[in-house]
C-alpha cells in the first residue's frame, strides 16, 4: 500500500501542476476575467405606449433553475445600477448583473405595471485569451429590452 501511495501521490501532483501551466510564463489555475455583466437590461418600456420605464424591481431569481437571493447579484464587480433590498433588486435602467453564461429567470415589475416573469439566456459575445489560453477575458454581455403591461 505504501508503494502505491508513493507512486500515486507524486504522479497526481505532477498532473495537477501541469494542468496549471500554460507553457508561457504563468503558473497557476486559469483565471476568468469578466469585463462586463453577462446580462444587461438596456431598456424597459410600457407595452401599450412604448414609454420608457426608468426604475424597475427584479425578484424571484433563478440561474439555470437554482434560486438565488437578490444580494447575490450585487456582489460582482460587473454589476451596475443595482441595489438589493431584502428579496428584490432595484434596477435603474440600464442595469446589469451576472457573470457566467446561464439561463436567467426573474420577475420584473414597476409601480403601475403587472409583474412579468422572464426567461432569457445571457452570455458574453466576446472571449479572448492570452499567453497560451490564460487568462480568459469575457466581454460584450447580452443586452435585452423588455416590455411590461400596465395594470
Amino acid at each position: 500500500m505504501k508503494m502505491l501511495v508513493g507512486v500515486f501521490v507524486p504522479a497526481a501532483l505532477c498532473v495537477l501542476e501541469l494542468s496549471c501551466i500554460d507553457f508561457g510564463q504563468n503558473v497557476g489555475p486559469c483565471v476568468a476575467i469578466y469585463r462586463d455583466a453577462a446580462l444587461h437590461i438596456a431598456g424597459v418600456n410600457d407595452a401599450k405606449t412604448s414609454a420608457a420605464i426608468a426604475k424597475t424591481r427584479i425578484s424571484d431569481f433563478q440561474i439555470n433553475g437554482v434560486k438565488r437571493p437578490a444580494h447575490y447579484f450585487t456582489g460582482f464587480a460587473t454589476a451596475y445600477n443595482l441595489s438589493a433590498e431584502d428579496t428584490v433588486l432595484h434596477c435603474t435602467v440600464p442595469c446589469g448583473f451576472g457573470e457566467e453564461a446561464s439561463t436567467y429567470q426573474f420577475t420584473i415589475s414597476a409601480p403601475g405595471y403587472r409583474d412579468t416573469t422572464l426567461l432569457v439566456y445571457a452570455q458574453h459575445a466576446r472571449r479572448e485569451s492570452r499567453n497560451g489560453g490564460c487568462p480568459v477575458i469575457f466581454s460584450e454581455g447580452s443586452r435585452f429590452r423588455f416590455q411590461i403591461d400596465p395594470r
Side-chain angles (χ1 to χ4, degrees), residues 11-63:
L13 289 174
C14 183
V15 168
L16 179 62
E17 185 172 329
L18 286 174
S19 70
C20 295
I21 297 175
D22 67 6
F23 298 102
Q25 297 179 356
N26 299 324
V27 176
C30 191
V31 175
I33 298 171
Y34 297 94
R35 296 278 188 224
D36 67 347
L39 191 155
H40 298 270
I41 297 178
V44 179
N45 297 86
D46 181 300
K48 289 188 178 179
T49 67
S50 297
I53 301 169
K55 295 188 179 208
T56 63
R57 294 170 33 103
I58 306 170
S59 60
D60 302 323
F61 301 97
Q62 290 186 34
I63 300 177

Side-chain angles (χ1 to χ4, degrees), residues 127-140:
R127 180 178 191 242
E128 302 172 57
S129 59
R130 302 203 171 104
N131 298 328
C134 290
V136 178
I137 302 168
F138 295 95
S139 60
E140 299 177 20

Side-chain angles (χ1 to χ4, degrees), residues 19-148:
S19 70
C20 295
I21 297 175
D22 67 6
F23 298 102
Q25 297 179 356
N26 299 324
V27 176
C30 191
V31 175
I33 298 171
Y34 297 94
R35 296 278 188 224
D36 67 347
L39 191 155
H40 298 270
I41 297 178
V44 179
N45 297 86
D46 181 300
K48 289 188 178 179
T49 67
S50 297
I53 301 169
K55 295 188 179 208
T56 63
R57 294 170 33 103
I58 306 170
S59 60
D60 302 323
F61 301 97
Q62 290 186 34
I63 300 177
N64 295 329
V66 177
K67 290 183 180 186
R68 298 285 183 183
H71 66 83
Y72 171 84
F73 297 99
T74 60
F76 296 104
T78 57
Y80 66 98
N81 292 343
L82 292 175
S83 63
E85 181 183 345
D86 297 324
T87 60
V88 175
L89 276 179
H90 296 277
C91 164
T92 301
V93 180
C95 65
F97 54 89
E99 288 189 338
E100 296 184 25
S102 300
T103 299
Y104 294 81
Q105 180 176 321
F106 52 90
T107 299
I108 192 166
S109 61
Y113 291 87
R114 294 183 184 161
D115 291 356
T116 304
T117 300
L118 302 165
L119 181 68
V120 297
Y121 183 78
Q123 66 180 356
H124 291 91
R126 187 172 180 149
R127 180 178 191 242
E128 302 172 57
S129 59
R130 302 203 171 104
N131 298 328
C134 290
V136 178
I137 302 168
F138 295 95
S139 60
E140 299 177 20
S142 300
R143 298 191 186 293
F144 297 94
R145 293 182 142 323
F146 302 116
Q147 291 188 335
I148 56 178

Side-chain angles (χ1 to χ4, degrees), residues 1-10:
M1 182 70 170
K2 284 184 179 183
M3 181 176 218
L4 182 60
V5 171
V7 171
F8 178 74
V9 171

